[in-house]
Amino acid sequence: MDKKKILVADDDVSINRMISFKLKKEGFEVTSVFDGKEALTAFNNSDFDAVILDIMMPAIGGLEVLIKIRQGKPMLPVILLSAKSTERDVVKGFEMGANDYLSKPFRPAELLIRVKKLVGD
Amino acid sequence: MKETHHSNELDLLENADNFRSILAQIGDGVYITDNNRKILFWNSACEEITGYRADEVTGKRCADNILVHIDMAGNKLCSTNLCPLHRAIVTGQPSKTPLTVRAKHKNGNRIVVEVSVAPVRNLAGTVVGGVETFRDVSGKIELEEEKARFFASLSHDLKTPLTNMQGYLDLLLEGDAGELNDIQKEFAETIYSEEQKLANLIEELLEMSRLQSADFSYEQNVLDLSVLIKKVVHSFLGEASRKGISLEEYLPENITVIGDGDRLWQAFSNLIGNAVKYTNRGKVEISSIYLPGQKEMVIEIKDTGIGIPPEDLDKIFKIFYRVDNNETISIRGTGIGLYIADSVIKRHEGRIEVKSIPGKGSIFKVFIASYNESEANEGR
């Protein structure tokens, strides 16, 4: 069976590595990007089974990336990561079409469960 | 119609001469309208704060570009049910807490005013108009907004290292980087639990500063409390399953209230989070009681946790208060959570009641006014 492909976008190098380490270990193929612009380029250049998006990234934020993703792929599973956990942010994320939302700090194991659920693994 | 207005006007302004001179000198903006929100009286503080003279506005409706209220989320209130003056006139009830709204000075400058309203009754007790008082809080708000921006970036900066610490420790403990021996595991677990305490402290301190910085800018939006609580529950499912307890909600599809979504989120997040935190076996259940015709909703948060000793029951909502005994000593907390929940619910004109049996569990009941569409349905 082909490996499922996940795009991970977080500007913090360590958090990004932590996520991709966990996902790779579970058999996913991971593309790591470190800002919104890179995320859009990666999204336009290849097909992913799910996207993990940090909301607060320099230049182009996660929510903006999400809008662009939704224009091209309305059904692609997207999980938002955010340091904010206020209702307004969570609601905004869901309204813009996110499938799930995890606030920082989070456990990689929990993120893994949510990714698996969304990609039907 | 015209005649009715005229006589209302007379009723309203009967003996008004005395009042006029008193109200004219008051430092807060005070204006009085009839039931259609047509301005009858406009004091000098109103002139100063808004730039409009009394002779320019008398006879006009306040919504006609004179004192247009826009809530902090950017919604124009004047033509909706949420116009505070309209609500006071229709419900016959004064506002219990001041509302902070944006408005515009005649010269185009944006101002922020804090508004209180009340109905005006004639001698027979019939509502014949409304009175609104407001003060300019623009300077205060500017400072608060700066503070909020500061805390938002502080929050981000604090949470990034925490996320890394917690995440990598989790990878170690899950054996993702190779099996740890018993001592390595014990040490990693110690770091993990200490990090959790730190994370929790930071979360609560940020929450408190958020709450304080926006203390007077509570929003008043129509929102679905059911959806909000369901999302809060969702956010604690992970923690509940880790502890091996069940967390379930039995809420109806729709609970409409007027309030501030962020603050209510904080309140319910603290209440439900506490229930999960202090329950080691069994379950946490969230349900609601709604009596048709009643103006109040009850949300019940019931747990089978360690409970609260009777002598502590009346103190748990005090800031920094923590139940201090053998059972709570290992549970992290700052004593801010319930204080925040209580103050938020109070600001929504509600209250929290608690019953508890040590060793058996606790029930927190949140009473909150439900919003009835028909009560204020013809805002114009």
Side-chain angles (χ1 to χ4, degrees):
Chain A
M1 198 179 77
D2 269 359
K3 283 183 169 184
K4 294 261 165 89
K5 286 165 81 179
I6 316 287
L7 176 63
V8 176
D10 195 311
D11 60 317
D12 188 87
V13 180
S14 305
I15 292 178
N16 203 314
R17 170 164 153 75
M18 177 222 298
I19 297 169
S20 54
F21 182 91
K22 185 75 180 180
L23 292 175
K24 279 179 188 161
K25 198 144 188 305
E26 292 289 325
F28 290 98
E29 190 183 318
V30 179
T31 303
S32 285
V33 293
F34 301 91
D35 62 42
K37 216 174 141 201
E38 284 178 10
L40 286 175
T41 311
F43 169 72
N44 288 327
N45 290 337
S46 58
D47 279 325
F48 293 98
D49 296 290
V51 180
I52 297 168
L53 266 183
D54 180 35
I55 289 187
M56 268 178 141
M57 289 189 289
I60 303 177
L63 290 178
E64 229 175 299
V65 175
L66 175 59
I67 292 172
K68 292 268 163 57
I69 288 179
R70 281 288 167 260
Q71 286 164 359
K73 294 249 171 77
M75 303 304 283
L76 178 64
V78 175
I79 301 176
L80 291 177
L81 300 178
S82 171
K84 292 193 220 168
S85 51
T86 60
E87 190 251 0
R88 199 181 308 155
D89 297 298
V90 181
V91 169
K92 210 197 235 163
F94 279 112
E95 272 174 3
M96 289 183 166
N99 300 73
D100 210 339
Y101 187 105
L102 217 52
S103 58
K104 294 177 178 180
F106 60 88
R107 300 174 71 216
E110 188 171 348
L111 178 63
L112 176 70
I113 292 169
R114 298 197 187 198
V115 171
K116 281 185 171 170
K117 208 169 116 194
L118 283 175
V119 300
D121 211 41
Chain B
M1 276 305 272
K2 209 174 176 193
E3 271 171 24
T4 345
H5 285 163
H6 193 65
S7 70
N8 282 349
E9 217 167 295
L10 286 177
D11 280 341
L12 189 58
L13 297 178
E14 212 172 22
N15 296 323
D17 279 353
N18 299 332
F19 291 116
R20 263 179 207 279
S21 58
I22 296 166
L23 291 178
Q25 299 166 50
I26 282 182
D28 285 352
V30 179
Y31 71 93
I32 299 170
T33 73
D34 67 9
N35 279 343
N36 291 319
R37 282 172 284 158
K38 204 172 81 183
I39 295 167
L40 308 175
F41 175 80
W42 184 259
N43 78 350
S44 59
C46 286
E47 295 184 330
E48 204 167 300
I49 296 169
T50 68
Y52 289 97
R53 290 191 320 273
D55 59 300
E56 287 177 281
V57 301
T58 308
K60 290 192 181 141
R61 296 180 73 230
C62 55
D64 295 340
N65 265 331
I66 292 161
L67 194 61
V68 174
H69 292 344
I70 298 162
D71 73 12
M72 301 311 271
N75 307 308
K76 194 173 157 181
L77 301 180
C78 295
S79 305
T80 70
N81 293 345
L82 293 175
C83 164
L85 198 55
H86 170 73
R87 279 180 64 77
I89 292 168
V90 172
T91 63
Q93 299 290 324
S95 59
K96 288 183 188 145
T97 47
L99 177 66
T100 308
V101 296
R102 296 186 188 284
K104 237 181 204 170
H105 189 276
K106 192 184 174 187
N107 64 16
N109 284 347
R110 284 157 64 99
I111 53 173
V112 182
V113 290
E114 201 174 82
V115 167
S116 298
V117 292
V120 175
R121 295 173 192 277
N122 63 11
L123 290 176
T126 314
V127 175
V128 291
V131 54
E132 175 167 314
T133 66
F134 59 93
R135 60 180 55 172
D136 190 351
V137 292
S138 310
K140 212 156 98 182
I141 289 288
E142 227 167 79
L143 196 73
E144 289 305 325
E145 282 174 346
E146 226 153 82
K147 211 162 119 189
R149 274 195 293 277
F150 171 77
F151 276 111
S153 83
L154 183 69
S155 161
H156 178 259
D157 293 350
L158 287 169
K159 280 187 178 173
T160 301
L162 282 176
T163 306
N164 275 308
M165 287 158 70
Q166 209 182 86
Y168 280 100
L169 275 168
D170 203 52
L171 291 177
L172 283 177
L173 285 166
E174 295 262 318
D176 287 330
E179 282 306 315
L180 302 184
N181 68 34
D182 286 351
I183 293 186
Q184 287 168 334
K185 210 168 186 171
E186 185 201 322
F187 289 1
E189 269 164 6
T190 306
I191 305 175
Y192 190 86
S193 69
E194 290 305 306
E195 187 278 336
Q196 290 257 300
K197 283 183 202 162
L198 186 62
N200 200 57
L201 265 168
I202 289 174
E203 185 64 42
E204 293 203 344
L205 288 173
L206 287 171
E207 218 168 90
M208 192 171 74
S209 52
R210 229 167 19 217
L211 189 85
Q212 285 183 337
S213 70
D215 201 26
F216 45 82
S217 60
Y218 265 59
E219 285 174 12
Q220 293 205 311
N221 298 320
V222 175
L223 49 94
D224 188 341
L225 194 59
S226 177
V227 170
L228 187 145
I229 297 175
K230 281 175 186 169
K231 288 198 184 123
V232 172
V233 168
H234 183 83
S235 74
F236 283 105
L237 286 178
E239 195 179 334
S241 83
R242 228 170 296 146
K243 296 188 73 177
I245 59 173
S246 82
L247 170 58
E248 281 171 37
E249 51 86 12
Y250 306 93
L251 295 174
E253 280 298 292
N254 199 295
I255 302 175
T256 311
V257 297
I258 291 186
D260 187 312
D262 271 354
R263 305 277 114 69
L264 286 170
W265 172 279
Q266 276 177 346
F268 283 99
S269 179
N270 292 352
L271 288 168
I272 295 168
N274 259 10
V276 171
K277 194 155 88 175
Y278 292 101
T279 301
N280 298 319
R281 66 189 81 84
K283 60 192 174 189
V284 174
E285 282 178 358
I286 294 102
S287 56
S288 69
I289 308 161
Y290 174 66
L291 306 166
Q294 295 290 90
K295 291 197 168 164
E296 239 175 13
M297 249 337 280
V298 187
I299 310 286
E300 205 174 86
I301 298 141
K302 198 165 140 189
D303 66 56
T304 56
I306 61 173
I308 304 157
E311 65 271 21
D312 288 308
L313 269 182
D314 58 339
K315 299 183 205 127
I316 54 170
F317 293 111
K318 288 195 177 132
I319 190 163
F320 303 132
Y321 190 81
R322 291 202 67 215
V323 175
D324 214 357
N325 59 33
N326 284 339
E327 288 197 90
T328 59
I329 204 151
S330 63
I331 300 173
R332 58 191 196 272
T334 51
I336 295 175
L338 284 181
Y339 162 77
I340 290 177
D342 189 51
S343 29
V344 168
I345 298 301
K346 276 187 184 144
R347 284 294 294 259
H348 286 81
E349 292 166 22
R351 65 185 192 282
I352 304 178
E353 285 177 6
V354 56
K355 278 188 196 145
S356 186
I357 302 172
K360 295 257 187 226
S362 308
I363 302 175
F364 283 77
K365 285 184 178 175
V366 181
F367 294 77
I368 189 163
S370 62
Y371 176 67
N372 185 353
E373 285 288 342
S374 59
E375 163 198 302
N377 59 359
E378 42 107 48
R380 288 176 304 174

Coordinates of all heavy atoms in Angstrom, one line a residue, chain A residues 11-15 17-18 21-22 25-26 54 56 83-91 94 100 104-110 114, chain B residues 152 155-156 159-160 162-164 166-168 170-171 174-177 192 195 199 203 210 219 228 231 234 238 242 260-262 265:
Chain A
D11 N 6.4 27.1 11.5 CA 7.6 27.9 11.4 C 8.7 27.5 12.5 O 9.8 27.9 12.4 CB 7.4 29.4 11.4 CG 6.7 29.8 12.7 OD1 5.8 29.1 13.2 OD2 7.0 30.9 13.2
D12 N 8.2 26.9 13.5 CA 9.2 26.5 14.6 C 9.8 25.1 14.1 O 9.1 24.1 14.0 CB 8.5 26.3 15.9 CG 9.5 26.1 17.0 OD1 10.0 27.0 17.6 OD2 9.8 24.9 17.3
V13 N 11.1 25.2 13.9 CA 11.8 24.0 13.3 C 11.7 22.8 14.2 O 11.4 21.7 13.7 CB 13.3 24.4 13.2 CG1 14.1 23.2 12.6 CG2 13.5 25.6 12.2
S14 N 11.8 23.0 15.6 CA 11.7 21.9 16.5 C 10.3 21.2 16.5 O 10.2 20.0 16.5 CB 12.1 22.3 17.9 OG 13.4 22.9 17.9
I15 N 9.3 22.1 16.5 CA 7.9 21.5 16.5 C 7.7 20.8 15.2 O 7.1 19.7 15.2 CB 6.9 22.7 16.7 CG1 7.0 23.2 18.1 CG2 5.5 22.1 16.5 CD1 6.1 24.4 18.4
R17 N 9.9 19.3 13.3 CA 10.6 18.0 13.3 C 9.9 17.0 14.2 O 9.8 15.8 13.9 CB 12.0 18.2 13.8 CG 12.8 16.9 14.1 CD 14.3 17.1 14.1 NE 14.9 16.1 15.0 CZ 15.1 14.8 14.6 NH1 14.7 14.4 13.5 NH2 15.7 14.0 15.4
M18 N 9.4 17.5 15.4 CA 8.7 16.6 16.3 C 7.5 15.9 15.6 O 7.3 14.7 15.7 CB 8.2 17.4 17.5 CG 7.4 16.7 18.6 SD 6.0 17.6 19.1 CE 6.8 19.1 19.8
F21 N 8.7 13.6 12.8 CA 9.3 12.4 13.4 C 8.2 11.3 13.7 O 8.3 10.2 13.4 CB 10.1 12.8 14.6 CG 10.8 11.6 15.3 CD1 12.1 11.3 14.9 CD2 10.2 10.9 16.3 CE1 12.8 10.3 15.5 CE2 10.9 9.8 16.9 CZ 12.2 9.5 16.5
K22 N 7.2 11.8 14.5 CA 6.1 10.9 14.9 C 5.4 10.3 13.7 O 5.1 9.1 13.7 CB 5.1 11.7 15.8 CG 4.0 10.9 16.4 CD 4.6 10.1 17.6 CE 3.5 9.3 18.2 NZ 4.0 8.5 19.4
K25 N 7.4 7.8 11.8 CA 7.6 6.6 12.5 C 6.3 5.7 12.3 O 6.4 4.5 12.4 CB 7.7 6.9 14.0 CG 8.3 5.8 14.8 CD 9.3 6.2 15.9 CE 10.0 5.0 16.5 NZ 9.0 4.0 16.9
E26 N 5.2 6.3 12.1 CA 3.9 5.6 11.9 C 3.7 5.3 10.5 O 2.6 4.9 10.1 CB 2.8 6.4 12.5 CG 2.8 6.6 14.0 CD 2.5 5.3 14.8 OE1 1.7 4.5 14.3 OE2 3.2 5.0 15.8
D54 N 0.1 25.3 11.1 CA 0.2 26.2 12.2 C -0.5 27.6 11.8 O -0.3 28.0 10.7 CB 1.7 26.5 12.6 CG 1.8 27.4 13.8 OD1 1.0 27.3 14.7 OD2 2.8 28.2 13.7
M56 N -0.1 30.7 13.3 CA 0.7 31.9 13.4 C 2.1 31.6 12.7 O 3.0 31.1 13.3 CB 1.0 32.2 14.8 CG 0.0 33.2 15.4 SD 0.5 33.5 17.1 CE 0.3 35.2 17.4
A83 N -1.4 28.4 19.1 CA -1.0 28.7 20.5 C -2.2 29.3 21.2 O -2.2 29.4 22.5 CB 0.1 29.6 20.6
K84 N -3.2 29.8 20.5 CA -4.4 30.4 21.1 C -5.5 29.3 21.3 O -5.7 28.5 20.4 CB -4.9 31.5 20.2 CG -4.0 32.7 20.1 CD -4.8 33.8 19.5 CE -3.9 34.6 18.6 NZ -4.8 35.5 17.8
S85 N -6.2 29.4 22.4 CA -7.3 28.4 22.5 C -8.6 29.1 22.9 O -9.4 28.6 23.5 CB -6.9 27.4 23.6 OG -6.5 28.1 24.8
T86 N -8.7 30.4 22.4 CA -9.9 31.1 22.7 C -11.0 30.6 21.7 O -10.7 30.2 20.6 CB -9.8 32.6 22.6 OG1 -9.4 32.9 21.3 CG2 -8.8 33.1 23.6
E87 N -12.2 30.8 22.1 CA -13.4 30.3 21.3 C -13.4 31.0 19.9 O -13.6 30.3 19.0 CB -14.7 30.7 22.1 CG -15.9 30.1 21.5 CD -16.8 31.1 20.8 OE1 -16.4 32.3 20.8 OE2 -17.8 30.7 20.3
R88 N -13.0 32.3 19.9 CA -13.1 33.0 18.6 C -12.2 32.3 17.6 O -12.5 32.2 16.4 CB -12.8 34.4 18.8 CG -13.2 35.3 17.7 CD -12.8 36.8 18.0 NE -13.2 37.2 19.3 CZ -12.6 38.2 19.9 NH1 -11.6 38.8 19.4 NH2 -13.1 38.6 21.1
D89 N -11.0 32.0 18.1 CA -10.0 31.4 17.1 C -10.4 30.0 16.6 O -10.3 29.7 15.5 CB -8.6 31.3 17.8 CG -8.1 32.7 18.2 OD1 -7.9 33.5 17.2 OD2 -7.9 33.0 19.3
V90 N -10.9 29.2 17.6 CA -11.3 27.9 17.2 C -12.5 28.0 16.2 O -12.5 27.3 15.2 CB -11.8 27.1 18.5 CG1 -12.2 25.7 18.1 CG2 -10.6 27.0 19.5
V91 N -13.5 28.8 16.6 CA -14.7 28.9 15.7 C -14.2 29.4 14.3 O -14.7 28.9 13.3 CB -15.7 29.9 16.3 CG1 -16.8 30.2 15.3 CG2 -16.3 29.3 17.6
F94 N -12.7 26.6 12.3 CA -13.7 25.7 11.8 C -14.6 26.3 10.7 O -14.9 25.7 9.7 CB -14.6 25.1 12.9 CG -14.0 24.0 13.7 CD1 -13.6 24.2 15.0 CD2 -13.8 22.8 13.1 CE1 -13.0 23.2 15.8 CE2 -13.2 21.8 13.8 CZ -12.8 22.0 15.2
D100 N -10.1 19.8 11.9 CA -9.8 19.6 13.3 C -8.9 20.8 13.8 O -8.4 21.5 13.0 CB -9.1 18.3 13.5 CG -9.4 17.7 14.9 OD1 -9.8 18.5 15.8 OD2 -9.3 16.5 15.1
K104 N -1.8 24.4 21.2 CA -0.5 24.1 21.8 C -0.5 24.4 23.3 O -1.1 25.4 23.6 CB 0.6 24.9 21.1 CG 0.8 24.6 19.6 CD 1.8 25.5 19.0 CE 2.0 25.2 17.5 NZ 3.0 26.1 16.9
P105 N 0.2 23.7 24.1 CA 1.0 22.5 23.8 C 0.1 21.3 23.6 O -1.0 21.2 24.2 CB 1.9 22.3 25.0 CG 1.3 23.1 26.1 CD 0.4 24.1 25.5
F106 N 0.5 20.4 22.7 CA -0.3 19.2 22.4 C 0.7 18.0 22.5 O 1.9 18.1 22.4 CB -1.0 19.3 21.1 CG 0.0 19.4 19.9 CD1 0.6 18.3 19.3 CD2 0.4 20.6 19.5 CE1 1.5 18.4 18.3 CE2 1.4 20.8 18.5 CZ 1.9 19.7 17.9
R107 N 0.1 16.8 22.6 CA 1.0 15.6 22.6 C 1.0 15.1 21.1 O 0.0 14.9 20.5 CB 0.4 14.5 23.5 CG 0.3 15.0 24.9 CD -0.5 13.9 25.7 NE 0.4 12.7 25.9 CZ -0.1 11.5 25.9 NH1 -1.3 11.3 25.7 NH2 0.8 10.5 26.1
P108 N 2.2 14.7 20.7 CA 2.3 14.2 19.3 C 1.4 12.9 19.1 O 0.8 12.8 18.1 CB 3.8 13.8 19.2 CG 4.5 14.5 20.3 CD 3.5 14.9 21.3
A109 N 1.3 12.2 20.2 CA 0.4 11.0 20.1 C -1.0 11.3 19.8 O -1.7 10.7 19.1 CB 0.5 10.2 21.4
E110 N -1.5 12.5 20.4 CA -2.9 12.9 20.1 C -3.0 13.4 18.7 O -4.0 13.1 18.0 CB -3.2 14.0 21.1 CG -4.7 14.3 21.1 CD -5.2 15.3 22.2 OE1 -4.4 15.5 23.1 OE2 -6.3 15.8 22.0
R114 N -5.5 11.9 15.6 CA -6.4 12.8 14.8 C -6.1 12.7 13.3 O -7.0 12.7 12.5 CB -6.4 14.2 15.3 CG -6.8 14.3 16.8 CD -7.2 15.7 17.2 NE -7.5 15.7 18.6 CZ -8.1 16.7 19.2 NH1 -8.6 17.7 18.5 NH2 -8.3 16.7 20.5
Chain B
A152 N -1.0 38.5 23.6 CA -1.1 37.5 22.5 C 0.3 37.0 22.0 O 0.5 35.9 21.8 CB -1.8 38.1 21.3
S155 N 1.9 35.0 24.8 CA 1.3 33.7 24.9 C 2.0 32.8 23.8 O 2.4 31.6 24.1 CB -0.2 33.8 24.6 OG -0.7 32.6 24.2
H156 N 2.2 33.3 22.6 CA 2.8 32.5 21.5 C 4.2 32.2 21.9 O 4.7 31.1 21.7 CB 2.7 33.3 20.2 CG 3.4 32.7 19.1 ND1 4.7 33.0 18.7 CD2 3.0 31.7 18.3 CE1 5.0 32.2 17.6 NE2 4.0 31.4 17.4
K159 N 4.4 29.5 24.6 CA 3.8 28.2 24.3 C 4.7 27.4 23.3 O 4.7 26.2 23.3 CB 2.4 28.4 23.7 CG 1.4 28.5 24.9 CD 0.0 28.5 24.4 CE -0.9 28.7 25.6 NZ -2.3 28.8 25.1
T160 N 5.5 28.1 22.5 CA 6.3 27.4 21.6 C 7.4 26.5 22.3 O 7.4 25.3 22.1 CB 7.0 28.4 20.6 OG1 5.9 29.0 19.9 CG2 7.8 27.6 19.6
L162 N 7.1 25.4 25.4 CA 6.4 24.4 26.1 C 5.9 23.3 25.2 O 6.0 22.1 25.6 CB 5.1 25.0 26.7 CG 5.3 25.8 28.0 CD1 3.9 26.5 28.4 CD2 5.8 25.0 29.1
T163 N 5.5 23.6 24.0 CA 5.1 22.6 23.1 C 6.2 21.7 22.7 O 6.0 20.4 22.7 CB 4.5 23.3 21.8 OG1 3.5 24.2 22.1 CG2 3.9 22.2 20.8
N164 N 7.4 22.2 22.5 CA 8.5 21.4 22.3 C 8.9 20.5 23.4 O 9.1 19.3 23.2 CB 9.7 22.3 21.9 CG 9.7 22.7 20.4 OD1 9.6 21.8 19.6 ND2 9.8 24.0 20.1
Q166 N 7.1 19.4 25.9 CA 6.1 18.4 26.1 C 6.1 17.4 25.0 O 6.0 16.2 25.2 CB 4.7 19.1 26.2 CG 3.7 18.3 27.1 CD 2.3 18.9 27.1 OE1 1.5 18.7 26.2 NE2 2.1 19.8 28.1
G167 N 6.2 17.9 23.8 CA 6.2 17.0 22.6 C 7.4 16.0 22.6 O 7.2 14.8 22.4
Y168 N 8.6 16.5 22.8 CA 9.7 15.6 22.8 C 9.7 14.7 23.9 O 10.2 13.5 23.8 CB 11.0 16.4 22.7 CG 11.3 16.9 21.3 CD1 10.9 18.2 20.9 CD2 11.8 16.1 20.3 CE1 11.1 18.7 19.6 CE2 12.0 16.5 19.0 CZ 11.7 17.8 18.6 OH 11.8 18.2 17.3
D170 N 7.2 13.5 25.3 CA 6.2 12.5 24.9 C 6.7 11.5 24.0 O 6.5 10.3 24.1 CB 5.0 13.2 24.3 CG 3.7 12.4 24.4 OD1 3.4 12.0 25.5 OD2 3.0 12.2 23.4
L171 N 7.5 11.9 23.0 CA 8.2 11.0 22.1 C 9.1 10.0 22.9 O 9.1 8.8 22.6 CB 9.0 11.8 21.0 CG 8.2 12.6 20.0 CD1 9.1 13.3 19.1 CD2 7.2 11.7 19.2
E174 N 6.9 7.6 24.9 CA 6.2 6.6 24.1 C 7.1 5.6 23.5 O 6.7 4.7 22.7 CB 5.4 7.4 23.0 CG 4.3 8.3 23.5 CD 3.0 7.7 23.5 OE1 2.6 7.0 22.5 OE2 2.2 7.8 24.5
G175 N 8.4 5.8 23.7 CA 9.4 4.8 23.2 C 9.7 5.1 21.7 O 10.3 4.3 21.0
D176 N 9.3 6.3 21.2 CA 9.5 6.6 19.8 C 11.0 6.7 19.4 O 11.4 6.6 18.3 CB 8.7 7.8 19.4 CG 7.3 7.6 19.3 OD1 6.9 6.4 19.0 OD2 6.5 8.5 19.6
A177 N 11.8 7.1 20.4 CA 13.2 7.2 20.2 C 14.0 6.1 20.8 O 15.2 6.2 21.2 CB 13.7 8.6 20.8
Y192 N 8.3 15.6 32.7 CA 7.0 15.8 32.0 C 5.9 16.4 33.0 O 5.2 17.3 32.6 CB 6.5 14.4 31.5 CG 5.3 14.5 30.6 CD1 5.4 14.8 29.2 CD2 4.0 14.4 31.1 CE1 4.3 14.9 28.4 CE2 2.9 14.5 30.3 CZ 3.1 14.8 28.9 OH 2.0 14.9 28.1
E195 N 6.7 19.9 33.8 CA 6.4 20.8 32.6 C 4.9 21.0 32.5 O 4.5 22.1 32.2 CB 7.0 20.1 31.4 CG 6.9 20.9 30.1 CD 5.5 20.8 29.5 OE1 4.8 19.9 29.7 OE2 5.2 21.8 28.8
A199 N 3.1 24.5 32.4 CA 2.1 24.8 31.3 C 0.8 25.3 31.8 O 0.2 26.3 31.3 CB 1.9 23.6 30.4
E203 N -0.9 29.0 31.4 CA -2.2 29.0 30.8 C -3.2 29.9 31.7 O -3.9 30.7 31.2 CB -2.8 27.6 30.6 CG -4.1 27.5 29.9 CD -4.0 28.0 28.5 OE1 -3.0 27.7 27.8 OE2 -4.9 28.8 28.1
R210 N -5.9 38.0 30.3 CA -6.9 38.2 29.2 C -8.2 38.7 29.8 O -8.8 39.7 29.3 CB -7.1 36.9 28.5 CG -6.9 37.0 27.0 CD -6.8 35.7 26.3 NE -7.3 34.5 26.9 CZ -6.6 33.3 26.7 NH1 -5.5 33.3 26.0 NH2 -7.1 32.3 27.3
E219 N -18.5 41.5 25.1 CA -19.3 41.6 23.9 C -20.7 41.0 24.2 O -20.8 40.2 25.1 CB -18.6 40.8 22.8 CG -17.5 41.5 22.2 CD -16.7 40.7 21.1 OE1 -17.3 39.7 20.7 OE2 -15.6 41.1 20.8
L228 N -21.0 25.8 21.7 CA -19.8 26.3 22.4 C -19.4 25.2 23.4 O -18.2 24.8 23.5 CB -20.1 27.6 23.1 CG -18.9 28.3 23.8 CD1 -19.1 29.8 23.6 CD2 -18.9 28.0 25.2
K231 N -17.9 22.1 21.9 CA -16.5 22.2 21.5 C -15.6 22.1 22.7 O -14.5 21.6 22.6 CB -16.4 23.5 20.7 CG -17.0 23.4 19.3 CD -16.4 24.5 18.4 CE -17.2 24.5 17.1 NZ -17.8 25.7 16.8
H234 N -15.2 18.6 23.6 CA -14.3 18.0 22.6 C -12.9 18.2 22.9 O -12.0 17.3 22.8 CB -14.6 18.5 21.2 CG -13.8 17.9 20.1 ND1 -14.2 16.7 19.5 CD2 -12.7 18.3 19.5 CE1 -13.3 16.4 18.6 NE2 -12.4 17.3 18.6
G238 N -9.4 14.2 25.0 CA -8.0 13.5 25.1 C -7.6 13.3 26.5 O -7.2 12.2 26.9
R242 N -7.2 9.7 28.5 CA -5.9 9.4 29.2 C -6.1 9.0 30.6 O -5.4 8.2 31.1 CB -5.0 10.7 29.1 CG -3.6 10.5 28.6 CD -2.9 11.8 28.4 NE -3.5 12.6 27.4 CZ -3.6 13.9 27.4 NH1 -3.1 14.6 28.3 NH2 -4.2 14.5 26.4
D260 N -20.6 36.9 25.6 CA -19.3 37.0 25.0 C -18.7 35.6 24.9 O -18.4 34.9 25.8 CB -18.4 37.9 25.9 CG -17.1 38.2 25.3 OD1 -16.4 37.2 24.8 OD2 -16.6 39.3 25.4
G261 N -18.6 35.2 23.6 CA -18.2 33.8 23.3 C -16.9 33.4 23.9 O -16.7 32.3 24.5
D262 N -15.9 34.3 23.8 CA -14.6 34.0 24.4 C -14.6 33.8 25.9 O -14.0 32.9 26.4 CB -13.6 35.2 24.1 CG -12.9 35.0 22.8 OD1 -13.1 33.9 22.2 OD2 -12.2 35.9 22.4
W265 N -16.5 30.7 26.8 CA -15.6 29.5 26.5 C -14.7 29.3 27.7 O -14.5 28.2 28.2 CB -14.8 29.8 25.2 CG -13.7 28.8 24.9 CD1 -12.5 28.8 25.5 CD2 -13.8 27.7 24.0 NE1 -11.8 27.7 25.0 CE2 -12.6 27.1 24.1 CE3 -14.8 27.2 23.2 CZ2 -12.3 25.9 23.3 CZ3 -14.6 26.1 22.5 CH2 -13.3 25.4 22.5

